[in-house]
Amino acid sequence: MNPQTASLPVIPRAEVRPAWLAQYTEAALEPDLAIIDPHHHLSDHGWGGYLAGDLLADLGSGHRIESTVFIQVGFAYRDSGPEHLRPVGETERVVQIAREAGLAQQAALPPTQLCAGIVGFADLSLGAAVEEVLAAHLEAGAGRFRGIRCHAAAHDRFQYGVMQAPPLHLYMDRAFRDGFSRLARFGLSFDSWAYHTQLEELADLARAFPETPVVIDHVGAPVGAGPYAGRRDEVFAEWRNEMRRIAELPNVSVKLGGLGMSVIGFPFHLQPTPPTSAQLAQAWGPYIRECIELFGPRRCMFESNFPVDKGSCSYAVLWNAFKRITADLPEDDKRWLYHDSAARFYRI
């Protein structure tokens, strides 16, 4: 645990409650719209366990999910061997899960390509030594490995859930940047998970390495809980200004989602019944429309962030909310937002 944040007040995460979610269902809107889900997790234990069967059940909610991208979450690390290579176990396990799911789906027409891309973890603070880890991920990934995520989501006034917070100002650390500089030569992208208060540091990092594709997870995480509760308009203005600056960098894209996390501050998980897609669209629309306006459809991609956002809504309702927000957009824009941007960024 990071000693800088270990004693801070905790913002509890929204837990997945199947019985609560079952109270409300919706049929999929625009069911023929092709989708790549570029951000989901798997876990033996987290969120009550979320493996291939659970993911496939959500993917079968009526939306046309053609493929997915797995994003690191500290899952299935090796329990022996050199410490710096243990995260490669996550890639090994995900490849195994994807292959088994592919065999199980042979009767489906067409099957969803599970984990067509994999984003793993490597401690970039290792500097030059991280190259061994990157090479090991690529070998273990069997053609699926696409990039690295090192989250920097830390704050000096709160801790989010049970997530281990990294050191403050990680993206400004010299050793971290030495390791980051190795990504481009391996042909790897970078996923950033940081709060809106850290977007200036992310912009500085992305500007320093213009050859490395960077994607901002969860619309840049405009925090609306803890010390930011009741300050949504103020936070929105600050977030928008930082996103406007970072959108000027052509190597940066953004994922549209993650707004169901409790740290963002929308209290849907506290309602007696789950939200409708119309309610979600009304709450989330300003952030998503702002990102599309700033970055353009070709640098934006919708994400589920499941099962994390499953604490606030079902998979079917989540994608319906996104489709409501984009209902008036041209079909070409939708194609980029739901499929082509993710396909290009993750080379699917």
Side-chain angles (χ1 to χ4, degrees):
M1 183 70 69
N2 177 9
Q4 299 175 77
T5 58
S7 61
L8 295 176
V10 173
I11 298 173
R13 72 183 187 188
E15 299 294 343
V16 176
R17 295 168 291 158
W20 179 76
L21 289 169
Q23 295 181 86
Y24 179 74
T25 60
E26 288 182 5
L29 301 174
E30 300 181 72
D32 294 327
L33 180 63
I35 296 172
I36 292 175
D37 182 350
H39 196 111
H40 71 82
H41 307 293
L42 297 168
S43 178
D44 285 318
H45 305 294
W47 311 284
Y50 194 79
L51 294 172
D54 305 292
L55 176 59
L56 287 170
D58 285 330
L59 297 181
S61 61
H63 296 284
R64 184 182 165 188
I65 312 297
E66 295 192 341
S67 55
T68 76
V69 178
F70 168 86
I71 306 296
Q72 69 83 217
V73 71
F75 164 61
Y77 281 15
R78 294 173 181 173
D79 57 11
S80 62
E83 189 71 28
H84 65 293
L85 290 173
R86 293 190 179 186
V88 178
E90 184 171 56
T91 296
E92 293 167 333
R93 180 73 182 281
V94 172
V95 168
Q96 177 188 14
I97 288 172
R99 285 173 172 167
E100 292 173 352
L103 292 173
Q105 288 188 92
Q106 285 182 348
L109 295 174
T112 299
Q113 190 179 6
L114 243 57
C115 309
I118 296 173
V119 174
F121 173 80
D123 182 2
L124 296 181
S125 298
L126 292 168
V130 81
E131 293 192 8
E132 181 185 9
V133 187
L134 302 180
H137 272 302
L138 283 164
E139 181 178 2
R144 298 173 186 259
F145 198 75
R146 296 293 183 266
I148 293 295
R149 181 169 85 152
C150 293
H151 86 78
H155 199 283
D156 61 5
R157 293 184 60 191
F158 69 87
Q159 171 95 358
Y160 171 43
V162 297
M163 183 177 68
Q164 181 172 342
L168 293 168
H169 313 299
L170 176 66
Y171 291 166
M172 304 300 290
D173 180 76
R174 181 177 297 178
F176 178 90
R177 290 190 170 206
D178 186 15
F180 189 97
S181 72
R182 318 283 163 164
L183 295 177
R185 71 184 65 173
F186 282 83
L188 297 173
S189 60
F190 183 75
D191 268 67
S192 168
W193 162 211
Y195 300 132
H196 78 276
T197 53
Q198 301 170 294
L199 288 174
E200 184 177 359
E201 296 180 359
L202 173 60
D204 190 87
L205 176 68
R207 189 179 297 111
F209 300 96
E211 72 283 4
T212 301
V214 173
V215 63
I216 304 172
D217 293 349
H218 319 323
V219 302
V223 180
Y228 296 95
R231 298 168 56 189
R232 187 161 301 281
D233 290 346
E234 174 189 343
V235 167
F236 186 90
E238 294 174 0
W239 166 83
R240 180 176 53 197
N241 287 338
E242 294 300 333
M243 292 293 279
R244 180 179 293 118
R245 294 188 183 100
I246 201 168
E248 296 174 358
L249 304 175
N251 60 319
V252 181
S253 299
V254 61
K255 290 182 181 176
L256 309 178
L259 293 163
M261 295 186 295
S262 61
V263 72
I264 306 302
F266 292 111
F268 292 111
H269 61 293
L270 302 177
Q271 296 180 172
T273 56
T276 67
S277 60
Q279 290 173 321
L280 294 177
Q282 182 177 14
W284 297 350
Y287 299 88
I288 289 172
R289 284 190 287 270
E290 189 70 31
C291 286
I292 296 171
E293 177 68 25
L294 292 174
F295 288 82
R298 297 189 179 208
R299 288 197 288 149
C300 293
M301 61 191 84
F302 281 107
E303 56 160 331
S304 73
N305 193 34
F306 259 48
V308 182
D309 279 28
K310 194 172 183 176
S312 290
C313 64
S314 69
Y315 201 83
V317 168
L318 177 97
W319 288 99
N320 276 354
F322 295 156
K323 290 175 179 180
R324 287 183 184 279
I325 293 168
T326 60
D328 295 333
L329 292 183
E331 292 304 311
D332 185 60
D333 287 356
K334 290 182 184 180
R335 186 166 57 252
W336 281 99
L337 291 166
Y338 289 94
H339 186 279
D340 289 2
S341 292
R344 181 168 66 180
F345 189 89
Y346 289 115
R347 297 170 303 198
I348 296 171

